[in-house]
Each structure stands twice: as C-alpha cells, then as structure tokens.
Amino acid sequence: MAFTFPFSAIVAQDEMKLALLISAIDQSIGGVLVFGDRGTGKSTTVRALAALLPPMEAVEKCPYGCAPDQPAGLCPSCQHLGEGETPKSHKVPVPVVDMPLGVTEDRVVGALDLERALTQGEKAFEPGLLARAHRGFLYIDEVNLLEDHLVDLLLDVAASGENVVEREGLSVRHPAKFVLIGSGNPEEGELRPQLLDRFGLSVEISTPEDLKTRVEVVRRRDEFEKDPEAFIARWQEHDVALRDKILAGRDLLPDVVVPDAALERAAQLCLSLGTDGLRGELTLIRAARALAAFDGDREVSDEHLKRVAPPALRHRLRRNPLDDAGSNVRVGRAIEELFGA
Ligand SMILES: [Zn+2]
C-alpha cells in the first residue's frame, strides 16, 4: 500500500497550499498553475490534498465515478440506472490523475474501444483520463511542454465540466468536473499568455531559503519515509481539523456575501494593474469568497481580497515596457496603494 504524505505536515509553500484549499472549496475558480523548481513537492502537495478529502460516494462500476445523489450530473449509463431507484454505490478515494507527457488526445478524451469494435462489432466508448479525473484533480507536470491544443482542450473541459466526444461514429457526452493543476518549470519555456489567463490561480514556489525551514522539510520527509504509518498517525488530528474546515467552507460558500465595496475594490485593483478583460476580477472575487468561506466568514473583506490577489492576478498582467519590475512586485505595489500597507 502506498502512503500519502499528510497535507498538514507540509512545511512552508503557504501560497500553493492556500490556492489548492480554496480550489477544493470552489471548483469554479478554474484550476491552479504552479511554477517552481523541481523537487519542491508540487505533486506531493496535490496528492496530499486529495487524500485529505473524505472518500466520495460513487456509483458502482461506473467508469466516471458518478455521484449517486446528483441525478443532474450523471453519465449516460447511470442516467438509466437512476430511474425509480438509487443506484448501488460505494466509497472511493478522491482521484488524482496524472497526465503523462506525450499523451495522445485519444487517451485524454477517450476513444472508440477498438477491441470491442473488432471482436464484437460494437461501437463502444473507452473512457479516457478525463473520465477518471471526474470529481477529483487532474495533474499535469510540465504543462508548458504539453501541446497547446491539448492544454486548450483541458481548460475547455475543466471550465464546462463536460467532455464531449464526436468522432469515429461515436457521440458521447459525459461529466468531467475536476480541478486542473498544471505545474511548470519557468526555465523550460513559457505558456502562451492566452493559456496562462485561463487558469484561475497561479502560484510560484521555490526551495526554502532559510535554514530552519530547510531542516524541518528534511526532518519530516525523513520521519515519513522511515515509518509512514506512525508519521501519518501523528499528523492525523491536524489533517482531520483541516478537512472539517474545508467541508464547513463548502457548506458556507453559497451564503457568503460579496458587498459592493469588495466588488469596487476588486475592479480598482484590476484597473490599476491593467489586467486584460474581466476574468481577473471574476476570479479575484470567487477566490476571495472561497477564502472567506474557508475562514468561516460570512462576508468578503479587504483582508480576503489582499490575500488572494497575488495568485488571482499575477499571471494576467500585460507587459509594461516602462516598468520592468516582475509581476509579483507590481501586484504587491498595487495592493499596497489600494489597501495601505
Ligand atoms: Zn456514471
């Protein structure tokens, strides 16, 4: 059995953890882009978050892991099951699906099941990675090395929550709601600005610079590898508390109020940064609302906006030829001007 490093035992990387937590509260924020050095635990953190979440109730034998209590979002085969009686279900862990480099579009979206077509003459659909990621996380390592059209496709499906396949005489439509996590190493090429902008949040992580943090990272990793069960048991209480906070946040989310003042602040911030379009403001507001819910607050405040503004906006800035400061510095400056230090 493989053990997963406990989320609450992950040292530092606060911005990445926050971005993932609020995406787990409101999936419509639109995924997270994580840029940073190799070996900073990007994949570990995503897996840790998925393992932290309670197992999901899923329809038995359904390749999409449909939720039995949500008749509106069922796949074609479960739609028939649901009539009159509740389909049989069981508990499954929240999926984390890895997108391997060099993957074909067929593997991603699904394709005609060739074996069945040849042996039984039936046109059946073989679900792809998008089906497996439903209700969980889709993790793309080195997203900047994936072909643009695939990234586009993933972003489309992530935004619509549905995978539509029309080819080889097949016509299939199935739910595919997942949080898209793309990781990249900036030294290996940049993502096109049009793609960047479509990710909800972006975070930058780096190897910790201070001695104490580095020592703690290594100490915990070492303890975990020596005796994973004991380590997980030691952190369980923290993980359970965090999980309860996420679940309470999901419940509270629909009731969190966004006052006009917060909408104005968000617009002012985007205006002063010159972000393109309205996606920045929308994401900023959604992320602030999810953070408020996570914190147990019923109203979005300046404090929530300030905390989520860097991950919501830093990848949406136009290059300013008169200002060669990095996007972090520019976002920080704009926040300070608007909210005060
Ligand atoms: Zn189903």
Side-chain angles (χ1 to χ4, degrees):
M1 187 192 153
F3 294 99
T4 308
F5 196 85
F7 190 87
S8 49
I10 295 170
V11 182
Q13 313 302 9
D14 292 331
E15 198 184 46
M16 178 182 184
K17 286 190 280 191
L18 183 71
L20 289 176
L21 286 168
I22 58 180
S23 299
I25 288 181
D26 182 359
Q27 209 185 300
S28 74
I29 288 169
V32 184
L33 196 54
V34 188
F35 272 109
D37 310 333
R38 252 174 231 289
T40 34
K42 291 174 279 199
S43 155
T44 304
T45 311
V46 176
R47 265 155 239 286
L49 177 64
L52 178 77
L53 299 170
M56 354 178 269
E57 198 65 42
V59 175
E60 273 182 26
K61 293 190 190 133
C62 167
Y64 311 97
C66 285
D69 56 349
Q70 284 166 24
L74 293 176
C75 74
S77 60
C78 291
Q79 271 164 15
H80 300 296
L81 286 174
E83 283 152 18
E85 52 181 320
T86 319
K88 267 195 189 154
S89 63
H90 60 158
K91 294 245 194 255
V92 293
V94 173
V96 179
V97 173
D98 278 301
M99 179 77 53
L101 267 183
V103 71
T104 61
E105 193 171 324
D106 278 8
R107 259 305 295 294
V108 177
V109 299
L112 181 69
D113 185 339
L114 271 180
E115 201 185 309
R116 259 172 83 182
L118 291 174
T119 57
Q120 299 165 35
E122 267 177 45
K123 271 196 177 154
F125 178 64
E126 164 97 50
L129 297 174
L130 292 177
R132 279 177 40 212
H134 182 43
R135 305 172 69 197
F137 297 85
L138 188 67
Y139 181 74
I140 319 170
D141 198 17
E142 320 240 10
V143 65
N144 37 347
L145 300 183
L146 202 67
E147 287 172 57
D148 280 356
H149 82 275
L150 269 179
V151 182
D152 245 338
L153 187 152
L154 292 170
L155 285 160
D156 283 343
V157 177
S160 67
E162 195 176 47
N163 180 30
V164 182
V165 187
E166 304 273 359
R167 56 156 87 166
E168 293 160 326
L170 285 171
S171 176
V172 179
R173 185 179 276 269
H174 71 76
K177 294 194 168 110
F178 53 84
V179 176
L180 188 64
I181 315 278
S183 98
N185 186 333
E187 286 157 17
E188 284 160 8
E190 288 184 12
L191 214 55
R192 279 193 294 128
Q194 300 92 302
L195 293 179
L196 269 180
D197 171 67
R198 296 190 55 199
F199 277 88
L201 306 172
S202 85
V203 296
E204 289 169 11
I205 58 173
S206 53
T207 315
E209 297 281 325
D210 74 293
L211 194 76
K212 240 178 95 187
T213 311
R214 287 178 88 111
V215 169
E216 197 54 31
V217 171
V218 174
R219 190 203 315 276
R220 290 189 194 172
R221 194 76 226 179
D222 184 50
E223 280 178 24
F224 173 72
E225 270 156 29
K226 262 197 291 200
D227 188 349
E229 274 174 302
F231 187 79
I232 290 168
R234 262 206 304 288
W235 286 91
Q236 200 193 5
E237 201 183 312
H238 298 276
D239 261 12
V240 167
L242 195 54
R243 183 182 69 203
D244 290 347
K245 211 175 149 184
I246 296 171
L247 298 181
R250 283 180 179 169
D251 283 345
L252 183 61
L253 185 68
D255 299 325
V256 174
V257 176
V258 183
D260 285 349
L263 289 172
E264 274 168 34
R265 293 283 216 194
Q268 278 172 327
L269 193 58
C270 292
L271 270 174
S272 76
L273 283 165
T275 54
D276 279 325
L278 292 174
R279 218 195 290 268
E281 264 141 283
L282 259 174
T283 310
L284 178 57
I285 289 294
R286 281 186 185 155
R289 186 167 52 199
L291 175 59
F294 180 64
D295 284 347
D297 296 327
R298 293 184 167 270
E299 196 173 288
V300 170
S301 70
D302 282 0
E303 203 46 46
H304 302 126
L305 287 169
K306 261 164 85 170
R307 278 174 66 197
V308 296
L313 299 179
R314 70 156 68 87
H315 55 304
R316 304 174 198 279
L317 307 191
R318 262 174 286 175
R319 284 198 206 287
N320 181 348
L322 299 175
D323 188 351
D324 58 5
S327 45
N328 274 334
V329 174
R330 285 168 64 194
V331 175
R333 222 159 43 195
I335 291 174
E336 209 180 296
E337 274 163 24
L338 185 61
F339 297 104

